[in-house]
Amino acid sequence: MYGHPQSGKLWEAHLEKQLIETKGVPLESYPSNFVFRRGQNDEDTLVLNFYVDDLTLAGGTKEIQQE
């Protein structure tokens, strides 16, 4: 896929589909960011950011992140 003119768009579409299937909610005002909420508490909320093939997960506890 590397080197293909559409590789970035194809990867983004694939990743977004997977994140939505795992209950991620895209943030309209911040493209490439998804929120995952497990419970009612803020500590159960995770934010995942992706840029190309780098993913960064923030929030929650270590146990929640590992789930």
Side-chain angles (χ1 to χ4, degrees), residues 1-47:
M1 195 162 169
Y2 286 104
H4 189 280
Q6 295 296 317
S7 63
K9 290 185 182 284
L10 294 170
W11 168 246
E12 183 178 346
H14 170 75
L15 182 57
E16 285 182 353
K17 180 181 176 198
Q18 299 301 312
L19 294 173
I20 291 169
E21 286 179 4
T22 57
K23 310 262 192 277
V25 178
L27 295 176
E28 289 183 31
S29 55
Y30 297 99
S32 302
N33 288 274
F34 286 76
V35 173
F36 294 84
R37 289 191 175 89
R38 189 175 78 161
Q40 300 295 333
N41 302 325
D42 286 340
E43 62 202 35
D44 294 338
T45 300
L46 301 171
V47 176

